[in-house]
Amino acid sequence: MTAPLLRPDPTPRRLLQASAAGLFGGFLVGAQAARLVGAASLAPAAGTVELTAWVRITPGSRAVTLVVSQAEIGQGISTTLPAVLADELGADWAAVQLVTAPRRAEFKNPKYQWQFTGNSESIQGFYDLVRRMGAAAREMLVQAAAARWGVPAGDCDTENSEVVHVTSGRRLHFADVAEAAAVLPVPAQPRLREAARQRLVGRALARVDVPAKVDGSAVFGIDFALPGMLVAAIKTLPLIAGELQRVDMRRAAREPGVKAVLPLPDCVAVVATRYWQARRALEKLTVTARATPASASVDSAGIEAGYRRALAEGPFATPVHEGGAVEGEVFEADYFNGFAAHATMEPMNCVAHVTAQRCVIWAPTQGQDLAAAALQAVLGLPAERVEVNRTPYLGGGFGRRLLPDFVVQAALISKAVGAPVQLIWSREEDMRRDAFRPASALRLSATLAADGLPRSLHARLVSPTILAPVFPPIQKVLGEQHVDPSALEGLEQPPYRFEARRLDFHLAKLAVPTSVMRTTGYGPNLFGLESFIDELALKAGSDGLALRRRLLAHRPDCLAVLARAAELSGWGRPLPAGHGRGLAFAEAFGSLLASVVEVQVKGDSVRLLRIVSVADCGRVLDPGIARANLEGGAVFGLAYAKAEVTFEQGRLQQDNFGGYMPPFLAETPPIVVDFVESGRPLGGIAEIGPVTVPPALANAIHAAGGPRPRALPIGRSGLHFEQQEYAS
């Protein structure tokens, strides 16, 4: 069941489209690239054949349709994975049409058997699979063409969406043999092309998602509409974990266009004909919440005091304990990361149509399977009566859109009013209803040898759960072992070699909603570890690069990344007074990354001068997109160093960008990115970029003569970023 895409208010988009046509018309018309055209139906349309779940061809058409399994949230996956598929198939990239995947078993991540986008798993999870699917479809087309010609299939190949008989030069377009190919069995182990024959993989391709974003035709969740659709806006309780005491809805119900005012468990929804009618009616609502012990505990000062007690007293689970007792001087330091908000550009929204027999959803979601499971549980419908459709574009994700809360809310509203409903959260509600990256506290201690070098590493970590909201089966592990694997990332298996290691973990129980956010546990944990490595280096009379080389002597791949980062950053070259360079290294999401940040510190002002990031993520499938991911990731890392959310007696203190401010362009320095390929397996690139920037920044600030930031954001150390203009 798929409805047409309608424009609720086309006027602004038409203006944007007209402007874009004038400014970028030549670029867009001349772009020889695939096009992202919309959402795929569950099954091919009449007259279209499906060779594999990923390849659809319509006889009589010159277009080849490929399915994009992963959500496009700005990371470029709608270009990279289809290019891998098109290479194996032999499709003409300029004539390929791309459609976003429906919820279907074939599009589940092979590792987890779960349909989602996140954790830098898209390339790692799907690269081999889409190659096989493309190669299988190619062999089916070749076999069908060879049978028509009466020639051996081994004498044929594909290119530019045609099957070619190499000897005679005869050609048949895929569309001419698609029906015959579709009745053939799908090869289980098709022969893959050699790397030398891949024409798209390894090139910087024009991104397929960009033209529609420029001309205004891209369909985000907020653009989706159904005939007869109503629009809902919500007002949450003023207290996190509070109880609804009273709602005065009389004035709101009398506002123009209002169809219903619905109290829900932790909010009130106003349903109207148009969005702004619902928003204005919300202003007429009076919602009173009762404080609870849980809401009173949502207080930053109290939470941080509890973290300090837990660091000293536990109780702890000990997931890592390697090596025996080590003698020597002990050096210890504590590190802290504040709560962070996802703050995606497109606030949470969803279109739902729920009847007694069926629930159909259209949402900018990263987690189709989790949304479907939640809807089945809440609505009491069997699996076959719940349909979750992902919209072609998502206005940012960062892990927030893995959660199904906004989808469930839209479904409940639709069920209550008996009509299709589009739910749109305001920016303030999006912030207040976030599942935040949790605050964490980390105590690191090292036993030092006579020369000052570390022999052992002991980590004590305090954090609430990260994984539970997006992976419910982890609740059993949390209950029995009191360990969240995501919270341990970066500390459980660091690349550095020590004689002995111990990791103690305290699972904090908070009323603050927390979940995954770009970098998951790696970000906060490696802020602490990489800052600590620098502190150890200084204590030993060394520098950060030299100590890391000592601790990574057993890892040539890590040393190569460090060497390239040192070369590009000019590590070791003298700097003026008040300037400093800081280094940080990570092995995360299957990749290696070293970053060097250069700053100037004047009093409490930090001027960012340059960021250098060097990665080894295995073979670089698209250099342009990979570079953009690391550049954007560096800026995202600066956001963790600049902004945080805080709570006071159950109330969020920052509910818009006036109080929660990511880096401005004027605060962002030039960024240099490079890649080293050591032959390691493919790794993720979208989430590792932010991991190394905060610790490298902290190390640079101290190297420049500033204070040692042991807590993020750097405002906790009395510092702020300086805004400036950079030469182009």
Side-chain angles (χ1 to χ4, degrees):
M1 179 178 178
T2 302
L5 296 177
L6 306 176
R7 297 298 187 208
D9 185 3
T11 306
R13 284 186 176 271
R14 285 176 181 166
L15 177 61
L16 178 60
Q17 289 167 358
S19 301
L23 292 172
F24 303 105
F27 168 75
L28 295 175
V29 171
Q32 295 297 305
R35 293 182 300 123
L36 185 58
V37 297
S41 55
L42 194 61
T48 296
V49 299
E50 184 176 271
L51 300 184
T52 69
W54 306 77
V55 180
R56 298 178 179 184
I57 298 174
T58 304
S61 169
R62 307 300 289 180
V64 174
T65 300
L66 305 180
V67 177
V68 181
S69 65
Q70 302 304 95
E72 178 55 69
I73 44 182
Q75 82 282 43
I77 202 65
S78 62
T79 301
T80 303
L81 270 182
V84 173
L85 180 62
D87 248 351
E88 287 295 339
L89 179 62
D92 178 5
W93 185 243
V96 164
Q97 293 184 348
L98 304 175
V99 289
T100 191
R103 181 171 172 258
R104 246 175 75 170
E106 292 90 338
F107 304 119
K108 293 178 183 287
N109 183 295
K111 179 179 177 181
Y112 300 98
Q113 286 305 303
W114 198 247
Q115 192 169 356
F116 76 100
T117 303
N119 202 44
S120 274
E121 293 281 352
S122 294
I123 293 297
Q124 297 177 84
F126 285 90
Y127 176 76
D128 290 336
L129 175 60
V130 299
R131 286 193 73 188
R132 289 198 305 273
M133 292 300 97
R138 181 187 74 238
E139 290 190 359
M140 295 163 71
L141 292 163
V142 164
Q143 188 175 343
R148 179 181 296 190
W149 287 327
V151 300
D155 291 348
C156 302
D157 202 351
T158 61
E159 64 179 17
N160 297 324
S161 298
E162 295 177 323
V163 182
V164 181
H165 182 227
V166 177
T167 305
S168 67
R170 285 179 289 180
R171 292 175 175 265
L172 284 170
H173 193 273
F174 289 171
D176 298 328
V177 291
E179 290 180 307
V183 301
L184 299 174
V186 178
Q189 296 295 329
R191 183 176 179 180
L192 304 178
R193 292 193 191 276
E194 300 84 359
R197 294 203 57 210
Q198 291 179 315
R199 298 182 178 181
L200 301 173
V201 174
R203 290 175 49 199
L205 301 175
R207 286 178 52 150
V208 302
D209 58 311
V210 168
K213 290 175 179 176
V214 171
D215 68 22
S217 63
V219 178
F220 293 86
I222 212 165
D223 301 315
F224 195 89
L226 295 176
M229 183 183 80
L230 300 175
V231 184
I234 62 163
K235 188 172 187 176
T236 58
L237 302 188
L239 296 176
I240 296 173
E243 290 181 354
L244 181 63
Q245 187 174 17
R246 181 175 173 271
V247 180
D248 185 345
M249 58 183 87
R250 290 171 295 178
R251 293 175 62 199
R254 293 195 296 266
E255 286 293 300
V258 171
K259 303 297 183 183
V261 181
L262 305 171
L264 295 173
D266 60 352
C267 70
V268 179
V270 174
V271 185
T273 304
R274 298 178 67 83
Y275 174 71
W276 282 107
Q277 292 173 331
R279 275 292 301 273
R280 292 189 183 101
L282 281 179
E283 298 172 3
K284 308 296 184 181
L285 279 174
T286 302
V287 179
T288 307
R290 179 187 293 112
T292 65
S295 64
S297 72
V298 180
D299 186 87
S300 291
I303 290 170
E304 292 178 29
Y307 277 24
R308 287 191 292 271
R309 287 193 300 271
L311 278 179
E313 303 168 9
F316 295 104
T318 304
V320 177
H321 194 180
E322 301 172 349
V326 176
E327 298 294 328
E329 177 190 355
V330 175
F331 176 70
E332 182 177 274
D334 291 352
Y335 303 90
F336 182 83
N337 288 265
F339 289 95
H342 293 83
T344 62
M345 285 294 97
E346 181 187 18
M348 299 304 110
N349 65 88
C350 176
V351 173
H353 190 188
V354 179
T355 65
Q357 295 77 33
R358 191 164 183 81
C359 169
V360 187
I361 296 293
W362 296 266
T365 175
Q366 294 176 251
Q368 297 98 305
D369 276 358
L370 185 59
L375 289 165
Q376 291 166 39
V378 169
L379 300 174
L381 291 173
E384 65 272 14
R385 294 189 180 181
V386 174
E387 179 181 333
V388 177
N389 301 287
R390 188 182 73 222
T391 53
Y393 291 83
L394 284 66
F398 317 130
R400 177 60 181 91
R401 286 188 155 88
L402 284 167
L403 275 70
D405 54 343
F406 61 101
V407 175
V408 169
Q409 198 177 67
L412 291 175
I413 297 170
S414 173
K415 181 181 179 181
V417 300
V421 168
Q422 181 182 48
L423 171 66
I424 302 175
W425 290 5
S426 68
R427 170 60 57 201
E428 292 79 8
E429 296 299 339
D430 190 85
M431 296 280 280
R432 283 196 287 264
R433 290 186 60 86
D434 200 2
F436 305 94
R437 187 177 90 158
S440 65
L442 176 63
R443 175 167 294 167
L444 294 170
S445 60
T447 305
L448 308 180
D451 58 3
L453 295 177
R455 299 179 61 195
S456 70
L457 179 69
H458 183 191
R460 279 189 168 185
L461 175 64
V462 178
S463 172
T465 183
I466 296 176
L467 194 56
V470 297
F471 188 63
I474 200 65
Q475 289 289 359
K476 182 173 173 26
V477 176
L478 295 175
E480 295 177 355
Q481 301 178 25
H482 311 290
V483 168
D484 185 316
S486 287
L488 304 180
E489 290 171 336
L491 296 174
E492 198 169 21
Q493 295 179 320
Y496 302 117
R497 178 172 286 174
F498 300 95
E499 295 177 37
R501 282 197 311 117
R502 177 171 176 150
L503 172 58
D504 296 327
F505 177 69
H506 176 82
L507 182 64
K509 304 295 178 64
L510 301 183
V512 178
T514 58
S515 186
V516 296
M517 186 170 168
R518 191 178 185 185
T519 76
T520 56
Y522 285 113
N525 291 339
L526 291 186
F527 165 68
L529 179 59
E530 290 299 300
S531 296
F532 190 61
I533 293 293
D534 254 50
E535 294 202 55
L536 289 172
L538 291 173
K539 189 169 179 62
S542 181
D543 77 349
L545 177 61
L547 179 56
R548 286 176 177 84
R549 282 173 167 163
R550 291 280 295 271
L551 297 176
L552 293 169
H554 61 295
R555 292 287 303 272
D557 53 347
C558 298
L559 295 177
V561 172
L562 284 172
R564 184 60 176 155
E567 177 187 5
L568 289 176
S569 66
W571 187 270
R573 286 205 301 261
L575 289 172
H579 290 234
R581 295 189 191 95
L583 170 66
F585 181 79
E587 182 171 30
F589 304 104
S591 296
L592 307 176
L593 180 68
S595 292
V596 176
V597 174
E598 186 175 335
V599 302
Q600 180 184 16
V601 176
K602 294 180 180 178
D604 61 358
S605 176
V606 177
R607 181 182 184 186
L608 292 155
L609 301 176
R610 194 174 185 230
I611 297 175
V612 172
S613 289
V614 176
D616 183 349
C617 56
R619 186 184 181 193
V620 180
L621 302 183
D622 187 308
I625 289 174
R627 181 174 293 106
N629 271 280
L630 290 183
E631 290 169 344
V635 178
F636 207 94
L638 293 177
Y640 286 132
K642 181 184 178 185
E644 67 174 326
V645 294
T646 57
F647 308 93
E648 185 174 339
Q649 294 296 304
R651 296 178 186 270
L652 178 69
Q653 300 300 291
Q654 303 81 16
D655 65 1
N656 209 319
F657 290 118
Y660 186 81
M661 288 186 282
F664 297 111
L665 182 61
E667 295 170 332
T668 305
I671 301 171
V672 177
V673 172
D674 199 14
F675 297 92
V676 173
E677 295 188 20
S678 65
R680 65 184 291 112
L682 286 172
I685 203 71
E687 292 202 50
I688 194 174
V691 171
T692 48
V693 168
L697 171 65
N699 295 335
I701 289 170
H702 189 261
R708 163 62 67 180
R710 286 183 173 173
L712 290 182
I714 62 172
R716 287 174 172 261
S717 299
L719 301 169
H720 68 272
F721 290 126
E722 176 187 328
Q723 294 187 26
Q724 59 182 310
E725 294 183 3
Y726 292 94
S728 59

